[in-house]
Every structure is written in C-alpha cells, then in structure tokens.
Amino acid sequence: MKSLPIYIAAFVFVACSEDDKNHRVVVQNPDIDKAYEYLERGVDDSAFFAFSKAKDIYIEADDSLNVANCLINMAITQKDQGDYFGAQETALQATDYLDESNPEHYIYLSTNYNNLGAATVKLSDFGQALTFYELALQFSNDSLNTLVYQNNIAICYQQLKKYDKALQIYVRVHEEIKSSQIEYARVLSNLARTKWLADPAYSAIDEFLTSLAIREQENDLWGLNASYVHLTDYYADTRPDSALWYAKKMYDTAKKIQSADDQVYALSKLIELSPETESKEYFQTYQSLTDSLHQARAAAKNQFALIRYEVEKNKADNLRLQKDNAEKINRLTRQRFFIGSLVFLLILFVAGGRFWYKKRKQRLELEAQHKIKASQLKTSRKVHDVVANGIYRVMSEIENKEDIDREGILDKLEGVYHKSRDISYEAEDSLPAEQSYAQQITELLTSFATAHQKVLIVGNESQLWDHVNENVKAEIKHMLQELMVNMRKHSHTDQVVIRFGKNEGKLKIFYKDNGVGMKNVHAQGNGLKNTGSRIKNLDGEIIFVSETGNGLKVEIAIPIS
C-alpha cells in the first residue's frame, strides 16, 4: 500500500480540475504534467522537483488548492525516499493552503494527514501518528479510504499495546468490509495478529493462512509480504523451521517489491533463525544493505534540502517553552507597537515635509511672479512718465515753434534716450535671477511642440543637474537641440518623449518618438552625426534603435562622477 496516497492525490487532482473548470480559472502549468509523468515512471527525484516548480507557478496564480496538491505529492515522495522529517515539514506546509470548512478540500486533507501519519510511524512516534490518522479519518469521504485509515489507527493502537482499542476497530471493520478482497485480507490478518499479541495462547494460524491465500489469489505482493511477516513472528518461538521458511519467502517478496526496510527486517529474522553457516552470509548481506539504506536516506535528506522539525519534546521542555513563548509574544508585541509608532511618525514627518516643501515652492514661485509683474508695471510707468512725456514735449515744441533750434532738439532727444536706457538697466537689475538649467532645457524642448506634435518631458528635475559641469551641460543642450531639429525635419511624429535619469554614476537620456523611423540607423545626416560626436567627446555612449514605421529610440549615457 506504499503508493496508494500518491494515486489518490493524482486522481483527485484530475477529478477536481474537471469539476471546477466552470468556476475556477485553469492555470496553464506544464510542470504538473511532467511531475505526474515522472511519478508514473517511478523517477521520484525528478517528480519532486517538477512538483516544486509547479507549486511556485500555482502560488503566483493564487491557486491554493493546487499548491496544496503539489506539496502533498512532494511530502509523499519524501516519505517514500526515507526523508521522514522532511515529509512532515512539507505536509504541514500543505495544511496552510487547505480549508477544513470546504468539502472540496476534504480528500486532500485526508490524504495529507494519512501521509503525515505514515511518516510519523516510520519515526516510531505512534502517539502522534494516531492523531494524524484520526484527522485523516475525520475528513475521509470515501468508504475504501475510511477502511484504510481505520486499519492504520488500529495498527497504532497495536504498537502502543492498546490491544482492546485495536480489536474494537478491527472487529467493526471486519464486519463492514465486503467490496475489496485485498482489504478484507488485510483486516483479517491484522485482526488475528492483534488477538495473538493480546493473548499469546490464541491460535491465529487459520486466519493467517486464509489471508495469505486471498493475497496469493489477488497477486497482492505487498499484502503477501505482510502475511509472511505475521507468520514468521507467529512461528518464531514455537516452530522455528516454519518461521525460517516464511522468513525466506518474506525476503524474496521484499526484493520483488523493492522494499529495503522489509528486506532488512527479513534478513534480521533469517540471521536469528538460520544455522550458523547460513547466518553469517545473511549477516553480511544485512550489514551491506543497512549501510546502503542509511546512505540512501542521508542522500535523500541532502537532496531535498528541507528543514527538519524536532518532534519529540518532554513535558518540562513544553512548559518552559510555553512560558518563554508567552514572554516573547508580549515582548514582540511591544516592540512591534514601538516600531509601528516610529514608522507612523516617520511617514507623517516625511509626508508633512513634502507638503511643506511643495507649498513653500509654490509660494516662492508666486512671489517671483508678483515681483516680475511689479517690476514690469514700474518700468511701464517710468517709460510713460519719462520717455513718452519727454518725447511728447519735444514734439509739441517742434509743432508750436516756427524757428526750430536743431541743436536744442537733438540735445533733448539725447536726454530722453539716456533716460530710457537707464530705465532698461533698472529693469534688468530688478528681474529675478537667471533661469535654472532644468528650466532652460524644458523651455528648449517645449519650443518644438506644436498643436500636432506633443513633447513630453520626464525626470528633468533641478537636482538632476547638480554636480554636472558647465561644459557637459552646454554639449547636452546642443545635442538635444539637434535631436529636436532632426525630429521636426524628418520624423513626421505626433508625440516625442524625453526622459532623464541617473544610474551608476552616469547621466541617462532616453529619446523616443512614434514617427516614420530610419531605414538605416548607420546612414545618419550631419545633425545626428554631430550629436554622436559630441557624446563621444564626453566619453559617453549613444545608441540609435529604429525600424521603418516604428519610430526612433535614442539612448545616451554620459559619465558624470
């Protein structure tokens, strides 16, 4: 029955995909098909990794049910490879993706808990395994699986020497099971074994042999192996020759089903029951197989590279850990509150600072505009009062006097000229400081915009141009002008985007339009050639990318550090 959980999970996956296709989006995931293909071929390691890759795709698609399905199959693979701690960890991860209130998840929950129980049994923690098997039974909605889980629960009670509880289950199951001869033989053999363990005087041979006959008829090799185990143990003390015969049959069957654990157990019985000459040979095989088994399981653990959980803890440690955990939770809560408060205050401070900066910037810009308007108004008034009135007086004098004093008129006009020039100087002094370089670039680029050609500028902030020397700025200005002239002449575009940025000590400029493009980026006109030369003189790089009809892209990188 080793492979039963895998096939259950595979069957359920296919069935649920068919049932849910009308209300759940089907995720295209080729790795899941590969995983099942590897599974059918018995290539467990490849199946494990394929399920792992498929799981990541389902996580991205937020498909929790299929994530759980992948984790369940991975856990089953780890259990079969002897990585029992890893199987427990992976199976417990799967429970995080399953909803115990959703009936559609029940088959996954029952299969996962059954595998958890099987892995825990291998670690000889029968009490914890019993808990997992009971959870598997709780979510089982299939009659055959229910019988399997009840059988597993009874085996745990048997291992815990609670024979009365095990017998109650076996008697009930034995009365109910009818549909499967294989399951009937399993229950019959386990029932007889439990009765014999509870009462060594009980004669279980008839039931053992009946179960054996059914398994031989059904060609149930795993069941035959279990029957040979029961018969070997049953005859070990009373009829050693019969026990030896069944031990040999068990060893042969274990080799057929490739169960290393069962081979080791059979060899231990053969060593115990065989004559000394044969016992030595069996011991050598036993030792070699045991070493190989340990190496294989160590390799499996390294291969899967999963964190192992510590599952056995004593009561004193649990109480101490509970206390420590409570204190840690309180301390962590306080720390989180403190950190959260600091983060909130920091966000509030940053947001407030940005708001204040924007308001201050708006206020300064408004004040500058008011100053400009005031200066313009003052200059206008002076022009009117001084220049216009002065010229008017000269005009009146020329109009009203019959004898015109040419030299006097010229002197007066010269005076008006000097006064107008003085007003011009005053206006220049009263104007605000020269535009920033970022404003100059914006003004240059937007001057090429028309009603039919939009120019979009991104990233042209004042701080971008800090620490960029004047020579580089001048060359960039000329280069941008040549690009825009080339655009106006040749591109026939209706939209241009110019983006600025800094990265790794380089100033980055990206130009893109949606015009006609260039047939050959290497056959450039003088303007673009000059642009390339300017960039190279600055130790920069320029890349032209274009296809006819798909516009032009230009990427420029200039070192500035």
Side-chain angles (χ1 to χ4, degrees):
M1 299 304 296
K2 168 183 161 182
S3 60
L4 177 62
I6 294 181
Y7 291 112
I8 290 175
F11 168 76
V12 171
F13 173 80
V14 175
C16 288
S17 295
E18 293 295 326
D19 292 340
D20 297 346
K21 64 170 68 175
N22 293 327
H23 59 273
R24 190 168 71 212
V25 177
V26 177
V27 179
Q28 296 298 323
N29 194 339
D31 287 310
I32 197 69
D33 296 326
K34 292 180 182 178
Y36 285 120
E37 180 183 349
Y38 287 131
L39 207 60
E40 289 295 329
R41 289 163 49 192
V43 188
D44 290 342
D45 53 349
S46 297
F48 179 88
F49 290 117
F51 276 122
S52 181
K53 292 173 66 176
K55 174 203 65 177
D56 294 337
I57 294 175
Y58 286 131
I59 288 175
E60 291 180 4
D62 198 23
D63 188 345
S64 59
L65 190 58
N66 277 322
V67 172
N69 176 67
C70 291
L71 287 168
I72 291 168
N73 279 282
M74 290 165 64
I76 293 170
T77 302
Q78 288 175 283
K79 186 262 295 180
D80 290 343
Q81 292 291 322
D83 184 8
Y84 304 125
F85 285 111
Q88 285 181 323
E89 180 184 7
T90 306
L92 289 171
Q93 289 177 11
T95 60
D96 294 335
Y97 293 93
L98 295 171
D99 183 2
E100 295 186 355
S101 63
N102 187 348
E104 293 182 2
H105 293 203
Y106 283 2
I107 184 64
Y108 294 89
L109 285 162
S110 62
T111 301
N112 192 43
Y113 282 125
N114 183 63
N115 186 57
L116 267 168
T120 308
V121 162
K122 291 294 185 179
L123 296 171
S124 299
D125 188 354
F126 300 105
Q128 183 61 54
L130 184 63
T131 301
F132 289 134
Y133 283 137
E134 288 174 343
L135 286 169
L137 182 63
Q138 175 184 336
F139 293 104
S140 176
N141 51 15
D142 179 86
S143 58
L144 181 59
N145 287 345
T146 298
L147 294 174
V148 172
Y149 302 152
Q150 288 176 329
N151 179 78
N152 292 340
I153 291 171
I155 289 175
C156 287
Y157 280 131
Q158 187 185 101
Q159 293 292 335
L160 293 169
K161 301 187 185 304
K162 297 180 180 180
Y163 302 121
D164 53 342
K165 291 187 176 182
L167 284 172
Q168 290 175 6
I169 295 173
Y170 281 134
V171 170
R172 184 172 65 251
V173 173
H174 181 262
E175 293 173 352
E176 295 177 359
I177 191 165
K178 296 178 181 179
S179 58
S180 172
Q181 284 292 303
I182 291 177
E183 291 306 316
Y184 175 79
R186 180 213 298 269
V187 173
L188 179 62
S189 185
N190 285 333
L191 174 60
R193 178 179 174 84
T194 306
K195 290 179 179 179
W196 171 64
L197 289 173
D199 180 11
Y202 177 76
S203 178
I205 189 60
D206 290 340
E207 293 159 298
F208 283 150
L209 292 177
T210 300
S211 176
L212 177 64
I214 295 173
R215 286 165 164 172
E216 286 175 342
Q217 182 180 355
E218 296 291 331
N219 195 29
D220 178 13
L221 295 180
W222 283 92
L224 283 170
N225 183 71
S227 285
Y228 294 142
V229 171
H230 293 175
L231 286 163
T232 301
D233 292 343
Y234 182 74
Y235 280 130
D237 294 329
T238 58
R239 294 174 60 181
D241 55 339
S242 297
L244 177 60
W245 190 83
Y246 284 116
K248 290 179 179 179
K249 298 286 287 184
M250 176 174 53
Y251 182 55
D252 292 338
T253 306
K255 288 194 290 185
K256 287 181 182 179
I257 62 177
Q258 297 181 348
S259 173
D261 287 328
D262 289 323
Q263 290 179 55
V264 168
Y265 182 77
L267 285 167
S268 69
K269 288 296 181 181
L270 289 171
I271 293 169
E272 177 184 341
L273 298 169
S274 298
E276 185 176 352
T277 54
E278 296 180 12
S279 177
K280 290 181 179 179
E281 183 178 346
Y282 286 131
F283 180 77
Q284 292 177 352
T285 306
Y286 172 86
Q287 192 173 36
S288 176
L289 182 59
T290 303
D291 292 341
S292 299
L293 188 59
H294 289 163
Q295 291 176 2
R297 287 178 177 167
K301 293 177 183 179
N302 293 332
Q303 180 184 21
F304 297 132
L306 296 174
I307 300 172
R308 310 294 181 232
Y309 280 112
E310 182 65 40
V311 295
E312 294 185 1
K313 300 183 183 295
N314 56 51
K315 294 182 180 180
D317 287 340
N318 284 336
L319 292 174
R320 180 179 56 80
L321 287 175
Q322 288 175 5
K323 180 180 178 181
D324 291 345
N325 287 337
E327 293 177 354
K328 287 180 181 177
I329 290 172
N330 291 333
R331 185 167 62 253
L332 188 59
T333 302
R334 292 195 298 269
Q335 289 176 350
R336 287 177 176 172
F337 177 78
F338 179 72
I339 293 172
S341 300
L342 287 179
V343 171
F344 175 76
L345 292 175
L346 180 60
I347 293 173
L348 190 64
F349 176 77
V350 172
R354 288 176 63 86
F355 179 77
W356 174 83
Y357 174 77
K358 288 183 179 179
K359 287 294 184 182
R360 181 175 180 276
K361 185 178 180 180
Q362 292 174 355
R363 178 170 55 80
L364 293 176
E365 289 177 351
L366 189 62
E367 290 177 356
Q369 291 175 2
H370 288 164
K371 287 181 181 179
I372 291 172
K373 289 180 180 179
S375 175
Q376 290 174 342
L377 181 61
K378 180 179 178 182
T379 301
S380 176
R381 287 176 178 172
K382 282 191 175 182
V383 169
H384 177 270
D385 295 341
V386 177
V387 179
N389 290 341
I391 292 175
Y392 182 79
R393 286 198 301 272
V394 173
M395 290 172 58
S396 298
E397 186 176 344
I398 293 173
E399 182 181 3
N400 298 322
K401 285 187 177 181
E402 295 181 358
D403 297 329
I404 298 175
D405 183 0
R406 185 182 182 87
E407 294 296 329
I409 293 296
L410 290 174
D411 289 341
K412 291 178 180 179
L413 288 174
E414 184 178 1
V416 172
Y417 164 74
H418 286 296
K419 288 179 180 180
S420 65
R421 192 170 65 174
D422 292 341
I423 292 172
S424 174
Y425 290 152
E426 290 177 5
E428 288 180 0
D429 293 340
S430 64
L431 289 176
E434 182 183 1
Q435 288 180 316
S436 68
Y437 185 78
Q439 292 173 329
Q440 294 178 37
I441 293 297
T442 299
E443 184 173 316
L444 168 66
L445 296 176
T446 53
S447 68
F448 287 89
T450 66
H452 304 292
Q453 289 181 321
K454 295 181 180 180
V455 178
L456 305 177
I457 305 169
V458 180
N460 183 31
E461 304 294 342
S462 297
Q463 56 268 31
L464 177 73
W465 304 102
D466 293 342
H467 310 299
V468 180
N469 66 53
E470 297 300 322
N471 178 49
V472 173
K473 289 181 181 179
E475 291 296 323
I476 290 174
K477 197 170 183 181
H478 289 307
M479 174 270 297
L480 289 173
Q481 181 169 303
E482 287 175 348
L483 280 177
M484 298 305 287
V485 169
N486 179 77
M487 176 274 295
R488 179 63 64 82
K489 286 182 178 180
H490 306 295
S491 70
H492 302 292
T493 184
D494 61 2
Q495 182 171 290
V496 179
V497 178
I498 301 100
R499 180 163 56 88
F500 301 85
K502 278 183 182 179
N503 188 17
E504 298 178 351
K506 291 184 178 181
L507 177 66
K508 300 290 185 71
I509 302 173
F510 302 89
Y511 168 98
K512 179 181 179 181
D513 67 42
N514 61 353
V516 297
M518 298 170 62
K519 293 182 179 179
N520 185 355
V521 295
H522 300 292
Q524 303 165 357
N526 291 332
L528 293 182
K529 287 182 179 179
N530 290 338
T531 299
S533 298
R534 291 179 186 276
I535 299 303
K536 289 181 180 179
N537 290 338
L538 297 175
D539 295 327
E541 297 178 356
I542 184 167
I543 300 174
F544 294 89
V545 179
S546 178
E547 294 181 6
T548 304
N550 291 331
L552 175 66
K553 295 181 182 178
V554 182
E555 298 181 6
I556 299 169
I558 301 171
I560 57 174
S561 58

